[in-house]
Amino acid sequence: FTGNPGTGKTTVARLYGRLLRELDVLPADGFVDTSGAKLVAGGTAELKALLDQLQDGGVLFVDEAYRLADDAYGREAVDEIVQLLTEDAFRSKMVVVFAGYEAEMHRLLAVNTGLSSRIGRTLKFAPFDAAAAAALLRVLVDKEGDMRLDARVDAAAMQRALQELVEAPGWA
């Protein structure tokens, strides 16, 4: 998944995992959210610990995955993931989603020639324009039930509010 922060990559990855579970493509809808920086810091031991959390199946979401290209430990984690992606037992129960800025993700794909051949699709997430942000914020406010949005609130103000919401702790 490529795109700027706040464009919904993590949320879509969660929904994708649930959808794959409902379609019986995955045996479980587990979701582990990590980052390239965490995998670099923890090396393959960190990767193995994360995969243990997904032993029943699900999605491994690696945000800022391009950071794996910058370090020997990161490249080692990429090599391990590529190896896992070749194993039918792994592929039948897990999906790996790499996310980050578009240009930097190209650098990640160059780290291991097997990686680009094992990534089935690239989805580009466009930034929200003011109208889309306003529409999404109205849906979120309506979902809360006890909140009302004054009709005089303009799209730019709603876009700023949406950005604050997305950056708030616990947002998924």
Side-chain angles (χ1 to χ4, degrees), residues 65-80:
Y66 52 83
R67 292 182 182 231
L68 297 171
D70 298 335
D71 178 272
Y73 290 121
R75 289 187 295 274
E76 186 177 305
V78 169
D79 292 345
E80 184 74 20

Side-chain angles (χ1 to χ4, degrees), residues 10-26 28-31 58-59 143 172:
T10 306
T11 300
V12 169
R14 285 182 192 278
L15 293 172
Y16 183 57
R18 288 183 197 145
L19 176 65
L20 292 175
R21 172 62 193 120
E22 288 181 25
L23 294 172
D24 288 325
V25 173
L26 292 177
D29 64 354
F31 189 86
V59 175
K143 181 180 172 186

Side-chain angles (χ1 to χ4, degrees), residues 16 18 39 65 67 79 93 100 106 125 128 133 136 156 162 165:
Y16 183 57
R18 288 183 197 145
L39 289 175
R67 292 182 182 231
D79 292 345
K93 67 180 191 174
H106 291 295
F125 288 70
F128 288 103
L136 179 57
L162 179 63
L165 176 66

